[in-house]
Amino acid sequence: MKVLMVLTSHDTLGNTGKKTGFWIEELAAPYYVFKNAGAEITLASPKGGRPPLDPKSNEPDFQTDDTRRFEADATAMATLGNTVKLADVSHDDYDIVFYPGGHGPLWDLTEDRNSVALLESAYAAGKVVALVCHAPGVLRDVKAPDGTPLVAGKKVTGFTNSEEAGVGLTDVVPYLVEDVLKEKGGLYSAGDDWGIYVVAEGKLITGQNPASSKETAILALATLAQNPK
């Protein structure tokens, strides 16, 4: 089993002067779900190399057993420091394509043509496609094989408007994940703010927030087991 995890290369939080990037829990928790299942994991990003970590995600209040394990894992950290360029990967090589969130993807992965092409081709080929927290927003411009928005008529979730308001970034982000998924025709639903909530629509799996990242990966594995190629 091979898993591709796609991270952001964007490190600037709008015009706030603050840094952003990927959210460490949303990488670390799924990483070990896949690792423990025996998967071969590849990390990719638009620019390749070491992607930017959202510094807030590494504050003590947001650290978890998985994030501490990841940062003490020399192999994992070496892989993170040398992500492959998104332009150089193909869905053909993977069983699962997984997008961790963080605010960074809202700026680069949403509009990155390689990301859009990867998601479109992976879905069309029947791969399991899973995205968590802000990452479901990168489906904004992704089309289904018939040319309609990929999320149209499909059950999806992602970071809620109220969660975005809770972190004070409603007016900073380029768009709100919940709004975009609804605008594109997604059958959006959510659980309690900051609680675990994951939905599946066939092989499209989405999770609401950082707390949902582990369960998103678990459901991705279960979906693959039920529907292997």
Side-chain angles (χ1 to χ4, degrees), residues 121-221:
S121 62
Y123 183 82
K127 307 292 184 174
V128 174
V129 176
L131 313 94
V132 68
C133 197
H134 286 87
V138 310
L139 296 171
R140 185 188 70 186
D141 297 335
V142 176
K143 300 288 196 297
D146 64 2
T148 60
L150 180 64
V151 302
K154 295 182 178 67
K155 293 180 289 185
V156 289
T157 191
F159 207 58
T160 67
N161 289 354
S162 53
E163 286 170 326
E164 199 68 80
V167 297
L169 295 174
T170 300
D171 296 326
V172 173
V173 293
Y175 64 85
L176 295 171
V177 174
E178 177 181 338
D179 285 356
V180 158
L181 292 174
K182 289 177 177 177
E183 288 164 7
K184 294 296 180 176
L187 304 179
Y188 180 89
S189 62
D192 293 338
D193 283 2
W194 315 114
I196 297 171
Y197 189 79
V198 183
V199 298
E201 178 74 45
K203 290 188 174 181
L204 179 65
I205 318 295
T206 47
Q208 180 179 320
N209 50 32
S212 306
S213 55
K214 183 175 183 178
E215 294 300 326
T216 303
I218 290 171
L219 186 54
L221 284 179

Side-chain angles (χ1 to χ4, degrees), residues 13 26 43 86 90-92 97 99 102 120 124 140 157 163 171 179 191 195 203-204 210 222 226 229:
L13 189 61
E26 296 169 30
L43 303 184
L86 199 49
S90 168
H91 73 269
D92 291 330
V97 176
Y99 277 59
E120 289 179 343
R140 185 188 70 186
T157 191
E163 286 170 326
D171 296 326
D179 285 356
K203 290 188 174 181
L204 179 65
Q226 293 164 6
K229 285 292 288 180

